[in-house]
Amino acid sequence: MWLTPEEVSLASPLWVEERGNPFFILQRRKGHGRGGGFTGLLVGTLDVVLDSSARVAPYRILLQTGDSQIYWSIASGSCRKEITAHWEWLETNLLQTLSIFDNDEDITTFVKGKISGIIAEENKSKQAQEEEDSGKFREAELKMRKLFGMPEEEKLVNYYSCSYWRSRVPRQGWLYLTVNHLCFYSFLLGKEVTLVIQWTDVTQLEKNATLLFPESVCVSTRNTEHFFSMFLNINDTFKLMEQLANIAMRQLLDNEGFTADRLLPKPSKILKNVSALKRDLDARAKNERYRALFRLTQDERLDGHTDCTLWTPFAKMHVVGQLFVSNNYICFASREEDLCHLIIPLREVSIVEKADSSSVLPCPVSISTKNKMTFLFANLKDRDFLVQRISDFLQRTPDRMWSDTSLSHQLSLPGQSASSSLPSSSPGGADSSQGKCHYHPNLPTAMQGLLHIYQRDAPEDLGPKATKEKMKEESWNIHFFEFGRGVCMYRTAKTRELVLNGIPESLRGELWLLFSGAQNEMATHPGYYGDLVEQAMGRCSLATEEIERDLHRSMPEHRAFQNEMGIAALRRVLTAYAHRNPGIGYCQAMNIVTSVLLLYCTEEEAFWLLVALCERMLPDYYNTRVVGALVDQGVFEELTRACLPLLYEHMQELGVISTISLSWFLTLFLSVMPFDSAVLLVDCFFYEGIKVIFQVALAVLHDNMDALLGCSDEGEAMTILGRYLDNVVNKQTVSPPTPHLHALLTSGDDPPPEIDVFELIKSSYERFGSLRSDVIEQMRFKQRLKVIQSLEDTAKRSVVRAIMTESAFSIEELEELYCLFKAKHIMSCYWEASSTAAERHDPSLPYLEQYRIHLGQFSQLFGALGPWVCGVHTPTLAARLFRLLDQNKDGLINFKEFVTGLSGMYHGDMTEKLKLFYKLHLPPALCPEEAESALEATHFFTEESPLLSHLDFLVPQEVSSGEENKDGGDGGGDGDGEEKKEEKVKDYRYYLRMWAKEKEPKKETIKDLPKMNQ
């Protein structure tokens, strides 16, 4: 390729001159091509260790001028053919022109300008992303593709110098991290080491430090472990590895390939030797942390963050922290955890202004909201730029009530109709209007929380519990007065303290919406729930059938769900969510959680809380394989081993942890604990996240440690834990007691003592409150690799068991074929942008039929595996076999069809192989063009030989054996030799007709069984 002219030294002992003329020199790198000896080996080793471009481009062309000692490199090539083409172009187009110039300086200027012009012309056709990448990085990407034989669709993310430990010997080389592969290359004194690992094959990724492997990264697959060390910055490398492995696991789980996020903000400056993909992944990681910290929606993208201080009027002090700005929110997090968090939606902002600076308050910015709250940020490094960015986002914020905006010294957005930041509890909105569209007007519908409806007519309670509840409400009202109310409320340690003491029932729905982030999503999607209900109601699917089956199992002990109002509300919410997210649809345990949400919220509010739970707070919990719950089950086992090591060993022997934890996590203890107690855990969960559930689960095990250590079997341990949880009580509840069915069945003659739920929560914070969310996320990543790979192994075994009776391949062969087939499918999800993964992957089908490949992929596998490889005719034969196997004519075949085709070729007897070969010369194996030429050949042979008149293998004639015998009887005067000849032809025809009959559609005599739910 042409290079931007650069000065080089000719007196280098590492290059050999091959061609020359008065103006140009063509050189070859020592050690490449013919010979080389020890010097060539040494040069090759230096090129690898020092990452020299000569490793990928061992030829170059230099510009020389007269007696000058200055030379300019103008072209390089990876092979002799490429560099020769450049040399011939120079001789043809430049030599005559250069001979006209009088001095060397003019020659150099002319050639440099010409080469730069060629490069500029080539760059015009390159994609924008490639233009973003530096020249050094593009060179590394080219080297990666050449060394490992990767297609152009495989994108390099980053590369690092490191050592790969092979047989306890370190091999210095280069680690290339691509979207789908981890690759390593080393060349030391003639010994070449090449390693390629697919990210989808990684089962464990660990960063550790041992005596043998100092500060290394261990990459484990199903078969082996690989150790890499001597990184310049091991933490950055390991984080990138984690991201790429996570993308691969998501690919296995959802069958979605990696796509660059075009909506991410562009970096202010391009970093040298860092690819656009690496910047993309770094931005994604920051976005995920930002969204998780402030419970924001998946489409929120962080624009930037800066250090600052926030004036807190309740504490009369400036709090040091960071200010975050994204497309819809301004957020603040204090440096000291739990000191102060703040979320300001841009839809609530009315004024942004630059206040006067002073020595006490440098570079302040004041932000006012529609509900008359003002926030003062100071110590901002680039105040003008920050205000301009907020102004840009405000102008793009959709709000029909806003008038035109103006920004001079201040930005004012008059809020003529400021929408309240609190959820409305009164009837109305899309929720109430849509309910009448699908149900009889007289049918009651839940326009408020069901608990409020059923307690509306109850007499006022003036007892001590009611007094305690009133005191809680008053404490929250004081908190709202000091810290604000709604989405812009200051969230501090005081807020957490009030949550741990229990949220009053009258405020529970409002605060759940606030802490979970569902309030923001509901406010930005008015009418969305009503539209969903309208679209979903009346439709029948597997999800709706399962919902109907579980409706009456959802808190049947609570009177709110003993009538049609509660059941109908639950049906609408679950059906609307199944319609919104068909990937999840409906999963058992969603009904229990949703029924609790409906007790305190309207239908629309309950729907958005369910969205927050399923899509953000409990990721992947409620998909078909409950992957998220299995991941957290693994995290819980790891936490138990770290915090309660003695109990962990005993529980592992009994196999109890994996049994109990799934039901605890899936329903947030709602199914195993009395309702009035479990709902307090839900309060804490919406504020703190999943760490509260882990803390309480560990506290339950700790409280029962002595009894559990004395257990001899799983059943006894389950009984102890079940009876303990049944007797966790809330002595402060003002609601009528809700009977807990499990407690009634297991109470026995001598029930254990009651446990106060507030004491349980308090002890969980005292003993295990040091758990951090970021540590839990790190543990989740580690467990996600194990869980998904375990599920993939289970799926593989299921496929092999299902097909082994129909195939002659061994179990080991079928497993290897399945891995190859799946790898082809997964690679195509990224390498072939023209076809989406959804077209070739249907999770509702049995595992045997889920993955599918097209003709191009099948041809590659056929060429590598098929025993009937026949040179230039192999693609034709592969295409015919593909069309034969593609029974539904959708251009795709599944694994079962793939194995059926290979099995006949490998393990069929001669008759079966002939039969398959015969079918490859009939439609549908033949394409229309081939069928036409075959028909012409058939007519030709029919005219030449009367004996073949019945052998039209394109349209086989139906001739019964009786008719043949009759015809034979009429010709009884023929000789014996002629009879034998005729009999042989009959036998041949018989097989052809028999095979042709198999292609006829057969009548179904047995009713197909309905598909089972996977």
Side-chain angles (χ1 to χ4, degrees), residues 310-328:
L310 170 67
W311 171 253
T312 51
F314 53 88
K316 302 294 189 292
M317 61 181 287
H318 292 279
V319 175
V320 179
Q322 280 194 320
L323 181 71
F324 301 83
V325 178
S326 60
N327 44 330
N328 292 301

Side-chain angles (χ1 to χ4, degrees), residues 589-716:
M590 287 173 69
N591 60 319
I592 297 173
V593 175
T594 308
S595 59
V596 173
L597 300 179
L598 281 167
L599 289 175
Y600 299 99
C601 308
T602 68
E603 283 183 33
E604 185 177 14
E605 293 167 351
F607 169 79
W608 286 114
L609 278 170
L610 185 62
V611 169
L613 276 172
C614 296
E615 298 175 14
R616 295 196 301 276
M617 301 189 73
L618 296 175
D620 300 322
Y621 257 59
Y622 299 108
N623 58 24
T624 51
R625 297 191 280 182
V626 292
V627 171
L630 292 174
V631 168
D632 280 352
Q633 177 180 293
V635 172
F636 181 55
E637 289 187 17
E638 200 171 333
L639 289 171
T640 306
R641 181 171 55 190
C643 302
L644 307 169
L646 189 62
L647 181 60
Y648 171 78
E649 296 296 334
H650 186 64
M651 296 282 277
Q652 283 296 96
E653 292 174 7
L654 300 179
V656 175
I657 295 181
S658 59
T659 307
I660 58 173
S661 55
L662 201 59
S663 61
W664 293 3
F665 295 139
L666 273 173
T667 64
L668 304 175
F669 285 95
L670 288 165
S671 63
V672 296
M673 197 180 281
F675 165 72
D676 296 323
S677 304
V679 77
L680 291 172
L681 298 184
V682 178
D683 292 343
C684 301
F685 167 76
F686 277 123
Y687 186 78
E688 292 273 33
I690 193 64
K691 62 171 283 188
V692 173
I693 305 300
F694 284 123
Q695 288 176 193
V696 172
L698 288 170
V700 169
L701 293 184
H702 183 274
D703 288 353
N704 293 275
M705 185 184 296
D706 294 337
L708 291 171
L709 288 173
C711 292
S712 57
D713 58 51
E714 179 186 359
E716 187 180 354

Side-chain angles (χ1 to χ4, degrees), residues 1-6 73-75 111-126 131 138:
M1 61 180 178
W2 298 108
L3 303 175
T4 304
E6 188 176 312
S73 64
I74 59 173
V111 174
K112 287 167 65 177
K114 192 72 176 175
I115 299 301
S116 299
I118 294 172
I119 293 172
E121 197 66 31
E122 288 179 348
N123 285 342
K124 285 183 181 178
S125 60
K126 291 187 178 180
E131 290 174 358
R138 286 203 299 271

